[in-house]
Amino acid sequence: MALETRSEYKLPLPPMRGPAADFYKFCKAHELRFQRCAECGTWRHIPRDVCAKCGSFKFEWARSSGKGKVFSWTVTAQPFLPQFAPMVPYAPVIIEMDEGVRMLSWLTDVKPEDLQLGMRVAVVFDDVTPEVTLPKFKRAVSQ
Amino acid sequence: MESLKDKACIVGVGESAFTRGSGKTELQLMLEASANALNDAGLRPHDIDGIVGPPLGASAEHFAANLGIENLRYSAYVQMGGASPVVALQSAAMAVALGVAKHVLVPCGWNGYSVMRVSSGGGGGRDSAPPGPLGGTIGDYYMPYGAIAPVQWYAWIATRHMKLYGTRFETMGAIAVNSRTNAQLNPHALMRGRPLTIDDYFKARWISYPFRLYDCCLETDAAGAVIVTSSERARDLKRTPVYISGVAEGHPYPADDIPARPDPFVIGLTFAAPKAFQMAGITHGDIDFAEIYDCFTYVVMLQIEALGFCKRGEVTDFVTPERIALGGELPLNTHGGLHSEAHVWGINHIVEAVRQLRRECGERQVKDAEVGLVTGWGDFGDGGLAILRR
């Protein structure tokens, strides 16, 4: 979507602090990356300081395939903040990536009533402001 | 190994008025509840020498200053959201069992209606994440996608349970109706005089699928307080002692992010329940009633499975209106719970359990109640379990 139509973007933005800032910086470059332990290779999200599996402090931001499947969701009808009033109903969806990590996002092309467990999805990048890009997902055509 | 079993007792309970608009501070509400608990116990304010403070609203030192406690010997906090009051019993029991303190006050309360209203984002148009242990996760990863309120986070667990196991809305509705029915017998309940039918449940608006309006608890300005002492000391006080027979806490993994959990149905109570049952030395059949933290109907069901009353995926068959009713096999939330009495972070569940075991509950009294359980749930699924007996 063109940036000028988003000049009035009112929804909450990530505060761009700590390791979350790194995660979203890659998103701005249209790359979905998660932390992966540099020693044992275990993927993780949300970002952590230490590998929970082997205890290593060393990690890399490894590129995700961008592919995953729907793990669960809710369909929100009540706007808990006024700026969500024009959005309802909307569905915060948990996506399980093929790498095994899970993240929260939105599907851009699936109506809430059509959501199913296991539905295959692929990442798309939404440049919601000049500074912030949010990873979202669309239904994947093939496996 | 030394066990906490029956080493400590609850000897006083109290509440503030339950309102929608208290006009008071959180501290004032909690002091009102504390004064009532002290009166109930037959203790004077300066008899208190230990405080397990509330997760928000005031510090242990605020209570000490107001109550005239010149020598506060023990202070601690439990930061587990709605599980805090039940888990505070564990801390209080340890303190009195070891002689660190003699009489420990556990207060909890808030202006959940007039100040921190969760249904409007938790406090007047806030668009940044809340303080506390979960604020980072929420602000960084949930709020940009509009996942702001507890009803949404727990809905993720509920949706998956429904899709995998065929869990039914009728069961959720039965829990809502049961709470409201019990509240009709409770003079303290905000929803007394406002009965609810299963039709009302299904006709209500959606909040966040799979939760409708009556799946959700109340928002209340309210406080409660309990007083814990050693079982030796308890026998000298005026009320029937209520023994803390088993108590434990547990945390889901990872505690600060729901989507990342390998198994979303493993919650804090999954770890706490076997420990508390083992400590108490009882089985599920010994439980005369259950006060289960009921922020949302499905969260009660999730906890019933975690407690081991039925297997995973079977709760929708286990919970029948007859089984959970007063007079049933497992009377549930006999006061009306957070759904229909008041939202007091579950400390009202402890207060109710104590009154049931003291047989003070009048029309809603569970006949011959000897043993009851109280759970706490909070902060993405931290859990606590207290097994109480008279």
Side-chain angles (χ1 to χ4, degrees), chain A residues 12 15 17 20 24 45-48 52 71-78 80-81 84 90 92 94 102 104 106 117 135, chain B residues 119-121 126 136 139-141 144-146 148 151-152 155-156 159-160 163 205-209 253-254 256 259 261-262:
Chain A
R17 61 189 168 193
Y24 286 108
H45 189 68
I46 57 180
R48 305 285 180 187
F71 184 79
S72 198
W73 66 91
T74 183
V75 183
T76 298
Q78 165 150 329
F80 292 97
L81 295 172
F84 283 97
Y90 63 91
I94 298 173
R102 302 199 197 109
L104 188 67
W106 282 354
L117 289 191
Chain B
S119 63
S120 55
R126 172 176 57 72
D140 291 340
Y141 303 105
Y145 301 100
I148 295 153
V151 67
Q152 300 170 291
W156 296 327
T159 298
R160 190 163 171 87
K163 300 294 176 189
R205 65 191 169 93
W206 289 107
I207 301 297
S208 200
Y209 172 96
Y253 181 83
D256 64 349
R261 291 181 192 158

Side-chain angles (χ1 to χ4, degrees), chain A:
Chain A
M1 198 176 287
L3 286 178
E4 58 269 28
T5 65
R6 295 302 187 90
S7 60
E8 294 297 308
Y9 191 79
K10 293 279 199 259
L11 304 184
L13 292 168
M16 303 297 277
R17 61 189 168 193
D22 295 332
F23 175 79
Y24 286 108
K25 259 187 278 178
F26 291 118
C27 294
K28 187 167 167 47
H30 288 203
E31 293 177 3
L32 185 62
R33 288 179 183 265
F34 300 107
Q35 288 184 342
R36 185 172 62 187
C37 177
E39 299 207 26
C40 78
T42 300
W43 293 80
R44 63 187 191 238
H45 189 68
I46 57 180
R48 305 285 180 187
D49 295 311
V50 181
C51 175
K53 189 165 183 192
C54 78
S56 172
F57 283 71
K58 296 177 187 157
F59 67 89
E60 58 188 339
W61 284 97
R63 184 98 182 241
S64 164
S65 65
K67 293 176 181 157
K69 60 188 179 187
V70 170
F71 184 79
S72 198
W73 66 91
T74 183
V75 183
T76 298
Q78 165 150 329
F80 292 97
L81 295 172
Q83 56 267 47
F84 283 97
M87 312 296 297
V88 295
Y90 63 91
V93 178
I94 298 173
I95 309 293
E96 182 170 274
M97 304 305 300
D98 287 354
E99 292 81 14
V101 298
R102 302 199 197 109
M103 62 175 290
L104 188 67
S105 190
W106 282 354
L107 301 195
T108 59
D109 63 345
V110 179
K111 284 186 231 159
E113 59 268 29
D114 294 333
L115 284 162
Q116 289 177 22
L117 289 191
M119 177 183 279
R120 295 289 302 170
V121 295
V123 72
V124 292
F125 293 95
D126 189 354
D127 302 315
V128 297
T129 70
E131 294 79 30
V132 177
T133 296
L134 295 178
K136 296 182 181 174
F137 288 81
K138 62 179 173 53
R139 197 165 182 173
V141 184
S142 67
Q143 299 298 303

